[in-house]
Amino acid sequence: MKKALAITLAAVMVAGSLAGCGSGGSSETTAQTTAAATTAAAKTEAATTAAKTEAAASGETEAAAAETDKEWYGNDDGTPVHIRLWAGVQPEYGYQQLVDNFNAEYADKGIEAEYVMYKNDTSGNMQLETYLSSGGEVDVFVGYGGRPTLLNRIEANLVMDITDYIEAYHFDLDDNFGKVAMADWRFGDNNDRIYGIPTKAEYRPWMFINEDMFKEAGIEIPYDGWTNEEFLAAAEKLTHGEGIDKVYGVQWGFDYTFSAWKGLMQSVMFPYVTYADDTATAVAYDNPIWKEQLEFTKKTIDLGYAIPFEDEVSEGMTLQTTFLQGKAAMTMGISQMRLILDNETYPHDFMTAVVPGPVPSEEYMDGVHNLHAQNNSAGDIISIAQNTPYPDACFEFLYWYVTGGQIPLVTYGGRMPLYNGIDLDQVVELTAAHAGDLLDTQSLRNYAGLDKSLVVNPVSLTYASTEIDDVFKEEVQAYLQGSQDIDTTISNLVTRGNDLIAQAIAAKGE
Amino acid sequence: MKKDQGRRKRILRENLIAWTFLLPSAVGMVLFSLIPLLISLYVSLTDWNFASGLGNWNFVWFDNFKQLWSDSWFIASLKNTLIYAVITVPVSLVLSLILAAVIDDFCKKKAAGVVRVAMYMPHICNSVAISAVWMALYSKYGPFSLLLRALGWSDPPRFLADYVWALPALMLVSIWAGLGYRVFIYSASLTALPRDLYESADIDGGTWFQKFRYITVPLLKPTTFFLTVTGIISSFKVFAYTNVMTKGGPGSATYTMVYYVYTTAFKYNRMGYASAVAVILFFMLLVITIIQWIHNSRDEKR
């Protein structure tokens, strides 16, 4: 009897644990399919009823557009639909406020949004992609990593084609986000399909400086740009102290914001920075400017003005542990502006200014190169999950987000909007009101007011771009830590990069 | 005849019961080990890119395996993994054997328990937490560097970012973290050893070291065998310390095979290629384990 009981129990346990996942999954899928079917019907309806006024296209803010939206996005039984927004930023830097605002505004329209944060690193992105392919967890998401990342996800069928919605909403992307900026985000054979809308204007070669330290050392704030030479002189004056108390002139951010430092070095070479031309069949590392810029970085380290590569890596240094603690007078990492604005978590009592990073020489001091305006890496791409059961509600949310809903991200997160409909004065005012004495308002105005139409898109065809970036980091680290000379470094970068490209092309069978 | 039938029935029932109890772990084993293993064997022969979705692959036979040998990252990871195993396994075995014997012979009962538990703690600690603590220890202003400076080395290396020191630094962490577990296993075996051998050695006037060398070490051979096999397997699979402390760097100085599998699969999305590395790792471990088994069973017969 006992044995029989044991057997039954064991069998039930196993069956239960197996069936548990199986049935749970399938019922969810059924629910999704039904929901998808109903919304598909509603979608066509939306396309017709949402023959919007031209308000959106002319760049007015969200209020005008929202009024023309359909009345109810929720379920037929009167309950709201619940959509989840995934992005890689802590909720307190604007996202919580954003969904709260949305929920207040859409309470009677049947959409409820929830914010879910994912970590924007290898495993976090893997988590996002896994959820995107399994369905049910992500409805709208903000992606990073530029065109190659989005392209990968499009090819994996994880991202919804929103071109028809955009047409139905009469939403002119070129007008609202800049023709050139948008050009990088069109896909498909005719380059006319949209899978995501860039929301953030970001100029990576810009940097943060500790204005108090500058004033103390009697250095003029380089609002209008500077050369490497002028930068070096400033770094020298700003560096002082020894051992654990040493204050460095600059922290390049080799560990926590490598791409920002790389972005500064390559700024004047844009767009041929990684690939030598539009065919992307060879790397660009033999451009003499690469050598010049790398040697300049090495010089700042050798002279003791910059935190050495090995120190940054072995200590896992971040902007929070150095710049915000007064251990470095300048730092890269403009995408981290939210940390500068957050005096609660990272208390500091000095004023920060955002200034353009230095250019190699006087010849780059003209408008475009000097202020790095062509280097607008339009980012924070907002997309809809391919298998969301609520595409209508998702697009309505996306539209609301990109046309002004994102304001809290500006205020609390220091993320400058790409959308033309948001007024520059408003951006500066809102950020300044939140930042108080922490941020030099004039410098922010310079940054936020850069001419967005000057953007130059990166080479859109890419091969093995992640691997090539890793090779770059590896070889450059060896050079900056003194274990190989510059010529070997350049030659390794070229050989290894070209090998990777050749392999990737061979693998694609082209 | 009837009796025979009854016996057969009983055997059948016993078998059934046995299988039922084995079923949960067998199912788990098949679902989470065997099937993925077979899938990865298959995938290693394809050019599957993770981003292109399941089933979207071409069969390329052994192209991935051929490509491996001209891939500097793979070569580095293979070399580092071998160095890692060849050094950490023997060093931690010898250290833990000596420590177990010393604790067994020289610590009082209660103290021995406390010492063993204390040494065992790292084994049950999260490896990420261990890594965080050791990163602080290895820091530029951490205790190791301060000690070396006090001893007159004016500019000691940044252990985790140094081309020469990074791998040894990781090995030290792994030896330290695994020591308690091994001491525990050895200690358990030590208490089971026959006392009479030690008593006769005492009568013959054997020293502590002689007893250790000629009685303890040979008698502990099965335990040593077990720890060698599991030690080699776990050192081949080292991942967490690399991932948290060095990310394979500086350069590729601390790339290990599993870390390379991880980056190729989930960073570069090259599932087929990553599976090929994993398959190589699998066969290396298989061969090592078979050799050890043969060696051990030959010894046992002798």
Side-chain angles (χ1 to χ4, degrees), chain B residues 121-182:
Chain B
M121 289 309 272
H123 187 67
I124 50 170
C125 279
N126 186 315
S127 47
V128 176
I130 291 179
S131 306
V133 170
W134 277 84
M135 278 172 88
L137 291 177
Y138 283 136
S139 154
K140 188 179 174 183
Y141 300 105
F144 288 160
S145 298
L146 291 182
L147 181 71
L148 289 174
R149 261 193 218 112
L151 292 174
W153 192 349
S154 64
D155 189 24
R158 317 279 180 271
F159 295 99
L160 294 174
D162 190 282
Y163 286 85
V164 178
W165 288 98
L167 192 61
L170 291 187
M171 288 184 204
L172 182 62
V173 179
S174 137
I175 291 171
W176 172 82
L179 206 58
Y181 166 74
R182 295 186 171 90

Side-chain angles (χ1 to χ4, degrees), chain B residues 22-59:
Chain B
L22 285 176
L23 200 64
S25 58
V27 166
M29 170 89 182
V30 169
L31 270 185
F32 299 115
S33 294
L34 197 62
I35 293 179
L37 179 78
L38 293 175
I39 292 177
S40 71
L41 273 176
Y42 181 80
V43 168
S44 71
L45 303 175
T46 71
D47 64 351
W48 183 32
N49 185 310
F50 185 53
S52 62
L54 202 66
N56 217 342
W57 53 50
N58 299 308
F59 212 62

